[in-house]
Amino acid sequence: MDTAAPARYLSVFDELLARREEHIRLCAGGGKDRISELPDDLLHLVLRRLDTRSALATAALSKRWAHLHRDLPALEFRVTDVIPQSDRYHWYLHRRRTLGERRRPVRDSTLNKFDVIIGRYERHAMRSLASSVNSLLDADNGGEARRRYQRMILEVFPTHNSGYMNRLIATAIADWEVQDLEVTVLDTTSSHNGMGYRFPHHCFDDTMFPAGCSLKTLKLTNCTPLEAVAGGELQPPRVFGSLTVLVLQGMPRSTRNGVYEGVVHACPRLEVLHLRSCSFREKSLSIDAPCSPVKELLIDDCDIDMVYLRSLPRLERPACVGGEPVEFSFGAVPRLASLSLSFYADVNERTWYTTLMGMRNEYPLFNFLNRLPELDSLMLRLTGPERWLVPIGLKADSPLSKLRRLLVADMPSSWDLTWTRYLLEAAPALETMHIHVASGTASPGRRVAWPPAEFKHRALRELVIVGYKPSERQHEEFVSLMRSTCVALRDVALLERGHVRDKGLWDWELMT
Amino acid sequence: MAAATDDAGDSNEMIRVVSSDGEHFEMPEAAANLSLVLRHMIEDDCADAAGIPLAVVAAKPLAKIVDYCTKHAAKSSGLTIEEAEELKRFDAEFIEVDTDMLYDLLVAADFMGVEGLSKLAVQRTADLIKGKTPEQNRETFGIVNDFTPEEEEEICKENEWAFQITKPPSRLC
């Protein structure tokens, strides 16, 4: 080998060589245990690829490894990882669920037997978790090298003994400076009724976090973030002081509206609020938070009828997806620019209300589109076996005067396209209209009367219909109506095949 | 020993590299570009007929790395699904090596700045460790247990979460 490398080589290699001198020395050693000789940064890379349990287990290899795991990106405590004989547990759980779903009623005593067995497995796993968490926290009192984790995940079964969980969460936030916390309370059987878990605010006091708390993202599943506070008069808890993203999932039916509104008040930096599969005691959500910086609100598959956004001055993107049409009342939301709505309804479904009133299960468009003067982009996914929109336009005083882009996606083939006239009429500035008709054999149903010939739309330039069927007379008619109504229409694309690719919840792209 | 001089580089110039123990290797420029260090050397006009000396990489791992880079450079852009899968299979076979070679690859890939290979070797190391008892891992990697029994007990207690056995106590059965 040409060992006398010219000086110009050395200048390039210099820094790297200096950094790697250690390697050369180690390579020359030729010891058998070569992995322990790797520099810390490489071993950290390896540990980062391990699950928490495997990473913690490396501590017992040798002294070299004992403290390496104190700096990991994530720490996960999932109780389901330590269920004894998890195959059997899952078999019991599966049987319990299928029994519960049977049409023929199963005797309560049979179900109880299953619940008792499942409960034993779960309690055993929870005792293992409790003991492990306590051991880990106790070891820290010895003053060893400081731990640093960016993320912590805690998954538990409902329990009466939550002391160690409180202690873990408090340590994670206050000492380890965890930025991203996820707490999931699993609810496998109904036997856990009444046992909930609340975020342990009592473990933090106001003198903590003088420089601000590290917690940025919090995801709680079946776990209460705070007590409902009337009017949000309470001083916001310091531990939520830096929180920017909050996800609440699977909140029980007993949750009061005040809890949801309360968290918006309690988190002065909150920008993103996601509610997933949550239940609402009053079946409605109301937010009146004139000081809140919330920009993004997602209501996903929640059991809810009404949403009152009374005041959210920074709100830019709300979305409501899944479930029956939700009625929206928009108050002071001056920055609301993008809206995404996705609803399903069956017109023939019989509820106590439709039966009592002798009506079909139908909804007017103005239920969820009203008073949105700043709206720029709208995404609608309205589905169901038959069109459930009442043929009435938006209220005259609430046009979507700045709406430029519109997507109507997943439209069932049984819906006629003509109902989109109400959107066209309400949005005089609309430039782009994308319609995606879902594949299906059903022919379009009842048409909606087209506005009189005097009505002209003067802004629409681009119309794209994906899933267009040339053989379908109503499709053809719709296009010719559009051509005569929209005087500025330049680009018309009628595509038989294609789909919509979502770019996040509020933007899209049509793919062919 | 010219480990990999296939037609991958077509019009590309061949880059010569020299291992720490003096062996010469050649690879297409596109392959050499996968290594951050080599790319910088080439950009700085330091690649000449004598070859770029790699002071910390021995011939054995260097042969593997040249192999890896040549394969990946030939298939770098516009992969079809089949090609991507073939590359995956190549990677999986490529990294089936003993711990000595794995160690050499970890160090060499990190030193040469071959990102893909570095990730591959780190993942392989993690896969070897995953789900094993400390005793099994000590055996795999030849790690010597230098704890006193008391220290070992203490460290196992601290990290009890890792050792929670999932065998049931008898009354659950």
Side-chain angles (χ1 to χ4, degrees):
Chain A
M1 182 204 166
D2 185 13
T3 43
R8 63 196 168 104
Y9 287 179
L10 280 177
S11 63
V12 179
F13 267 130
D14 241 9
E15 192 193 327
L16 281 160
L17 272 180
R19 215 161 49 89
R20 299 299 163 197
E21 252 175 16
E22 196 188 348
H23 290 211
I24 308 169
R25 193 173 43 77
L26 295 173
C27 289
K32 196 170 168 283
D33 173 15
R34 298 178 67 194
I35 188 165
S36 297
E37 291 165 356
L38 288 171
D40 280 10
D41 55 351
L42 269 178
L43 289 181
H44 274 136
L45 285 181
V46 173
L47 290 182
R48 278 162 183 265
R49 301 260 171 159
L50 292 173
D51 58 288
T52 298
R53 298 187 75 207
S54 295
L56 292 183
T58 61
L61 287 173
S62 69
K63 284 181 181 166
R64 171 82 181 88
W65 293 78
H67 298 300
L68 283 174
H69 64 80
R70 284 174 174 259
D71 187 1
L72 286 177
L75 200 57
E76 294 186 22
F77 292 99
R78 292 187 191 274
V79 70
T80 41
D81 284 350
V82 294
I83 288 184
Q85 274 191 332
S86 65
D87 295 354
R88 280 189 183 214
Y89 166 76
H90 285 292
W91 182 85
Y92 281 117
L93 203 58
H94 177 71
R95 285 282 294 163
R96 168 69 174 78
R97 283 190 183 145
T98 44
L99 278 177
E101 284 163 9
R102 274 198 195 167
R103 258 197 216 145
R104 209 152 43 97
V106 181
R107 266 185 307 187
D108 278 351
S109 61
T110 316
L111 291 180
N112 284 342
K113 254 182 232 161
F114 275 92
D115 286 347
V116 166
I117 297 172
I118 291 166
R120 254 186 232 151
Y121 278 98
E122 294 181 351
R123 281 195 302 278
H124 186 272
M126 283 300 282
R127 278 195 290 273
S128 300
L129 176 72
S131 159
S132 304
V133 166
N134 280 327
S135 301
L136 185 90
L137 296 171
D138 288 343
D140 268 11
N141 293 338
E144 296 280 0
R146 210 166 159 185
R147 293 175 194 272
R148 277 275 177 278
Y149 305 108
Q150 284 155 29
R151 203 173 157 184
M152 188 173 84
I153 296 170
L154 176 62
E155 178 205 79
V156 297
F157 291 117
T159 176
H160 287 299
N161 167 27
S162 54
Y164 66 95
M165 286 156 58
N166 298 343
R167 201 174 148 215
L168 177 66
I169 290 173
T171 311
I173 296 174
D175 296 344
W176 305 342
E177 296 181 6
V178 161
Q179 295 176 14
D180 186 350
L181 176 66
E182 203 177 311
V183 182
T184 300
V185 181
L186 298 165
D187 195 7
T188 48
T189 59
S190 50
S191 60
H192 298 306
N193 258 348
M195 272 189 281
Y197 181 65
R198 283 197 193 96
F199 191 86
H201 284 284
H202 60 277
C203 297
F204 305 92
D205 63 56
D206 284 349
T207 58
M208 287 165 108
F209 318 117
C213 176
S214 60
L215 190 66
K216 299 273 188 299
T217 304
L218 178 63
K219 182 175 175 188
L220 301 176
T221 303
N222 191 14
C223 167
T224 315
L226 42 87
E227 295 295 323
V229 185
E233 298 295 327
L234 206 78
Q235 185 72 17
R238 290 292 280 269
V239 64
F240 283 176
S242 311
L243 209 58
T244 53
V245 178
L246 176 66
V247 180
L248 299 178
Q249 188 164 299
M251 299 282 281
R253 189 168 293 280
S254 55
T255 316
R256 287 178 171 280
N257 180 28
V259 171
Y260 300 102
E261 189 173 15
V263 289
V264 177
H265 289 288
C267 309
R269 302 242 173 104
L270 192 68
E271 292 183 0
V272 176
L273 175 63
H274 288 189
L275 308 174
R276 294 179 189 274
S277 311
C278 290
S279 297
F280 297 73
R281 189 193 272 191
E282 296 91 349
K283 294 272 255 180
S284 71
L285 169 68
S286 162
I287 302 179
D288 184 4
C291 300
S292 164
V294 167
K295 285 185 185 153
E296 180 177 315
L297 171 68
L298 169 66
I299 300 169
D300 181 359
D301 194 25
C302 291
D303 182 16
I304 189 170
D305 292 338
M306 279 290 305
V307 176
Y308 302 92
L309 300 178
R310 296 189 199 283
S311 176
L312 269 178
R314 302 288 179 95
L315 185 67
E316 291 169 11
R317 339 172 261 277
C320 186
V321 297
E324 295 251 325
V326 173
E327 198 172 331
F328 269 85
S329 163
F330 297 100
V333 281
R335 296 209 185 170
L336 198 156
S338 307
L339 178 65
S340 175
L341 300 171
S342 173
F343 299 131
Y344 171 92
D346 182 351
V347 277
N348 296 316
E349 193 184 87
R350 298 185 78 83
T351 61
W352 67 267
Y353 185 73
T354 54
T355 314
L356 188 74
M357 306 294 283
M359 287 162 48
R360 280 154 64 91
N361 191 27
E362 290 179 315
Y363 303 82
L365 209 51
F366 61 72
N367 256 16
F368 39 86
L369 283 177
N370 57 61
R371 294 187 60 193
L372 291 165
E374 294 301 315
L375 188 67
D376 176 73
S377 156
L378 173 65
M379 228 167 145
L380 286 178
R381 284 189 156 87
L382 310 180
T383 54
E386 274 178 63
R387 175 167 54 77
W388 46 257
L389 279 169
V390 185
I392 302 174
L394 268 62
K395 288 180 182 163
D397 61 337
S398 60
L400 311 172
S401 50
K402 289 196 182 164
L403 184 68
R404 289 186 311 113
R405 299 183 74 222
L406 167 69
L407 169 72
V408 181
D410 297 345
M411 198 196 299
S413 61
S414 56
W415 291 36
D416 190 65
L417 306 181
T418 44
W419 69 267
T420 52
R421 68 163 266 205
Y422 299 118
L423 297 168
L424 208 60
E425 282 171 291
L430 190 69
E431 291 171 11
T432 311
M433 185 169 180
H434 290 170
I435 298 178
H436 163 248
V437 183
S439 58
T441 48
S443 279
R446 287 171 300 145
R447 279 184 46 173
V448 167
W450 201 253
E454 307 87 72
F455 172 74
K456 297 288 175 210
H457 195 281
R458 303 189 185 279
L460 192 74
R461 286 158 175 268
E462 182 185 318
L463 170 70
V464 184
I465 304 179
V466 173
Y468 178 80
K469 287 186 195 151
S471 57
E472 197 60 73
R473 198 170 48 85
Q474 295 201 19
H475 281 194
E476 208 185 315
E477 277 175 15
F478 173 74
V479 174
S480 73
L481 284 173
M482 284 295 283
R483 281 189 203 274
S484 59
T485 309
C486 307
V487 290
L489 196 59
R490 245 187 0 203
D491 308 319
V492 179
L494 307 173
L495 307 164
E496 289 178 51
R497 285 168 204 287
H499 64 274
V500 179
R501 198 172 68 102
D502 287 352
K503 289 156 77 182
L505 267 166
W506 294 271
D507 199 6
W508 69 88
E509 206 174 7
L510 289 182
M511 313 287 285
T512 49
Chain B
M1 175 176 152
T5 50
D6 63 345
D7 54 355
D10 37 82
S11 67
N12 269 344
E13 213 182 306
M14 295 305 273
I15 299 294
R16 290 167 71 85
V17 289
V18 187
S19 71
S20 62
D21 39 3
E23 272 196 59
H24 288 249
F25 295 85
E26 270 191 354
M27 61 179 141
E29 193 177 325
N33 274 335
L34 289 181
S35 153
L36 204 64
V37 170
L38 293 183
R39 195 169 81 215
H40 288 162
M41 297 289 286
I42 295 164
E43 279 168 9
D44 299 348
D45 256 343
C46 299
D48 56 22
I52 301 170
L54 294 169
V56 296
V57 187
K60 257 174 75 184
L62 188 55
K64 287 278 282 180
I65 291 176
V66 169
D67 210 15
Y68 175 90
C69 291
T70 310
K71 182 80 180 177
H72 276 254
K75 298 246 159 65
S76 59
S77 57
L79 284 181
T80 63
I81 295 168
E82 293 85 48
E83 280 173 329
E85 262 170 25
E86 197 222 308
L87 211 52
K88 240 187 205 169
R89 269 200 303 279
F90 168 83
D91 279 357
E93 261 172 49
F94 178 89
I95 205 67
E96 279 287 323
V97 293
D98 59 35
T99 48
D100 256 4
M101 177 56 94
L102 187 60
Y103 167 84
D104 285 335
L105 286 177
L106 273 171
V107 175
D110 185 43
F111 167 69
M112 289 175 67
V114 187
E115 200 187 331
L117 179 57
S118 211
K119 274 189 187 159
L120 188 64
V122 164
Q123 186 61 52
R124 162 79 174 170
T125 315
D127 289 344
L128 285 175
I129 294 175
K130 212 173 272 180
K132 303 246 179 70
T133 64
E135 203 39 65
Q136 287 168 323
N137 276 326
R138 280 190 208 115
E139 205 170 296
T140 312
F141 295 100
I143 297 168
V144 180
N145 181 356
D146 53 1
F147 289 119
T148 63
E150 295 78 38
E151 282 172 335
E152 190 171 356
E153 196 183 321
E154 196 182 311
I155 209 96
C156 285
K157 177 77 187 148
E158 175 187 334
N159 299 294
E160 196 183 310
W161 182 237
F163 308 112
Q164 284 293 353
I165 41 156
T166 49
K167 280 190 217 130
S170 52
R171 64 182 177 76
L172 274 178
C173 304

